[in-house]
Amino acid sequence: MLGHRFTKYTPPEEKGKSDFDKLLNIFMQLVLMTSGNVAEALQWLTEVDRQHGLTNGTYGIGDFIEDLKKNGYVTDEGPRGEFKLKPKSEQSLRQSALEEIFGKLKRTKSGEHNTSHSGRGDEQTTERRDYQFGDTLEQIAVTDSLRNAQINHGVESFFMTEEDLEVMESEYKTQTSTVLMIDISHSMILYGEDRITPAKKVAMALAELITKKYPKDTLDILVFGDDAWQIAIKDLPYLHVGPYHTNTVAGLELAMDILRRRKNANKQIFMITDGKPTCIKQGIKYYKNAFGLDQKILGATLNLASQLRKLKVPVTTFMIATDPYLKAFVREFTKANNGNAYYSSLEGLGNLVFEDFKRNRTKNL
């Protein structure tokens, strides 16, 4: 009987890509994992090249470094000659994250989202409905209305009544303000699992999506550990985990402050985390307990969830963990806020964020 013979897999050569482009894709992944440390990323790239033979005798890592500088991706012109990313690299990272996670999206008109409300809206759809008082002439589907008149009254004595008219359904558009909260507590790299890099990728992809497809929207990004602070989109590649506990309350309070300043009626919070709240701030001191769910910390967190519910700001929690007691916390938090929750693997995180973002575009928040 014939069996299976296993041999070493040699991936097919990528056609149409230069040596520089092939290495650039790997370098960008590495520089994200090193939180923007170009020198460390180049060391890793050199080691990967040594083990897997990425380069050949005509184009080496040294040539690649020179091309990175020449093409405006990195610079070493600082006071101490250190390699640093240039804005072109930051843009490239966001674009590649968007394509990797959300797929290649076509641009639409500036920053508009569908809502579930139909009627005299902004954009026509393929749907048809009966004429209602108040509909404009521009909304009438002429061909469909003429067909109805012919069917209802015949061709010989043609006439049209109000009952024959059909109008083209249309959708209203809305703008949304989103705050994305990213957990940077120590657990995001605990047990040898890198959870912060996928979170950064999702944040960059979401930022690129909103910037390009919905430019009238707003996206604010904050990180939370012992405290919470806002970061700029361009700072995302440099984000790294610290020796922090998880002060979810601080993150939610900052998100509320940000959304109060936004004029959009539709507001929402996305929270990417892998653990329970373990810290709150009392005056200038921190109250911490990393051993299970502390009722004092939990109470403060659920109280904020209820406040956000009253303000009609839903919180969608993306929990990168499946522990039963963490699920219990997320369930209680989601119930208090009337929001949504997902328990995600690292691989599925991006798709879940995107699907929830789209889903919230089709309803009034």
Side-chain angles (χ1 to χ4, degrees):
M1 184 177 69
L2 292 176
H4 296 281
R5 179 176 295 175
F6 295 94
T7 60
K8 182 180 178 181
Y9 173 70
T10 304
E13 186 175 345
E14 296 181 86
K15 294 182 179 179
K17 278 194 172 184
S18 65
D19 293 329
F20 172 76
D21 289 331
K22 294 174 187 175
L23 291 174
L24 181 63
N25 183 46
I26 300 172
F27 170 74
M28 286 299 182
Q29 298 288 336
L30 293 175
V31 85
L32 189 61
M33 295 173 66
T34 61
S35 299
N37 189 323
V38 176
E40 187 177 359
L42 288 171
Q43 288 175 355
W44 288 13
L45 183 63
T46 302
E47 181 59 25
V48 172
D49 178 40
R50 186 186 68 80
Q51 293 185 24
H52 300 282
L54 302 178
T55 62
N56 50 53
T58 58
Y59 191 87
I61 298 297
D63 299 311
F64 175 67
I65 294 171
E66 290 302 313
D67 284 344
L68 280 175
K69 293 191 289 185
K70 184 173 67 175
N71 292 322
Y73 287 95
V74 302
T75 180
D76 59 354
E77 296 176 355
R80 293 183 290 179
E82 294 178 347
F83 279 105
K84 290 188 176 180
L85 293 178
K86 297 188 76 172
K88 183 175 181 178
S89 286
E90 297 164 0
Q91 169 66 32
S92 178
L93 284 168
R94 293 196 298 271
Q95 182 61 38
S96 62
L98 176 66
E99 292 177 359
E100 177 184 339
I101 294 173
F102 298 156
K104 294 184 178 180
L105 300 169
K106 295 180 180 179
R107 289 190 181 186
T108 61
K109 293 182 180 180
S110 59
E112 298 177 335
H113 305 293
N114 298 332
T115 73
S116 58
H117 297 284
S118 59
R120 297 177 61 185
D122 303 309
E123 183 175 300
Q124 293 178 350
T125 71
T126 58
E127 301 296 322
R128 299 290 186 267
R129 62 173 173 81
D130 294 337
Y131 174 85
Q132 296 175 359
F133 178 77
D135 289 331
T136 64
L137 288 174
E138 292 79 9
Q139 289 178 269
I140 294 176
V142 177
T143 302
D144 299 286
S145 299
L146 288 171
R147 184 194 64 231
N148 293 339
Q150 290 176 348
I151 294 172
N152 295 334
H153 312 296
V155 179
E156 299 298 331
S157 58
F158 177 79
F159 66 96
M160 181 180 289
T161 67
E162 182 179 324
E163 284 72 27
D164 301 321
L165 295 178
E166 286 190 21
V167 298
M168 293 177 286
E169 189 67 284
S170 56
E171 295 176 335
Y172 288 96
K173 296 294 179 178
T174 184
Q175 298 171 14
T176 302
S177 291
T178 303
V179 172
L180 177 62
M181 296 172 50
I182 304 175
D183 184 351
I184 58 168
S185 63
H186 183 61
S187 61
M188 291 290 278
I189 55 169
L190 215 54
Y191 312 119
E193 186 172 37
D194 178 10
R195 297 170 177 175
I196 190 64
T197 299
K200 287 193 290 186
K201 278 189 179 181
V202 169
M204 289 191 296
L206 188 61
E208 191 71 2
L209 173 71
I210 291 176
T211 302
K212 295 294 178 65
K213 191 166 184 177
Y214 308 115
K216 290 183 181 178
D217 273 20
T218 65
L219 173 66
D220 295 282
I221 302 171
L222 65 87
V223 294
F224 62 105
D226 289 347
D227 295 288
W229 60 95
Q230 196 170 353
I231 64 171
I233 290 174
K234 67 180 182 63
D235 297 329
L236 281 169
Y238 312 102
L239 195 60
H240 57 85
V241 169
Y244 307 125
H245 285 68
T246 307
N247 191 343
T248 308
V249 167
L252 293 173
E253 286 177 338
L254 179 55
M256 290 172 69
D257 289 341
I258 292 170
L259 290 175
R260 282 192 193 101
R261 301 193 296 268
R262 297 302 183 188
K263 304 303 181 184
N264 290 336
N266 297 303
K267 302 175 182 181
Q268 63 181 345
I269 297 172
F270 287 171
M271 178 169 64
I272 301 175
T273 182
D274 73 331
K276 60 190 179 297
T278 59
C279 172
I280 55 174
K281 197 169 185 179
Q282 298 178 315
I284 60 172
K285 293 184 177 181
Y286 295 94
Y287 175 85
K288 300 177 181 179
N289 181 5
F291 303 98
L293 281 172
D294 186 292
Q295 290 304 308
K296 189 173 183 179
I297 298 173
L298 180 62
T301 307
L302 295 179
N303 181 52
L304 269 182
S306 299
Q307 288 183 42
L308 284 162
R309 179 177 183 171
K310 291 178 182 177
L311 295 171
K312 296 184 179 180
V313 178
V315 180
T316 302
T317 305
F318 300 92
M319 176 64 74
I320 316 174
T322 56
D323 308 67
Y325 76 100
L326 290 180
K327 284 187 175 183
F329 155 68
V330 173
R331 196 178 302 116
E332 196 169 355
F333 178 87
T334 303
K335 183 179 178 182
N337 174 252
N338 197 29
N340 299 295
Y342 299 94
Y343 308 98
S344 172
S345 65
L346 295 176
E347 293 76 17
L349 179 61
N351 288 329
L352 282 176
V353 172
F354 181 46
E355 287 305 317
D356 200 73
F357 183 79
K358 285 200 305 181
R359 186 184 63 81
N360 282 345
R361 306 281 58 72
T362 61
K363 68 176 184 178
N364 265 356
L365 299 175

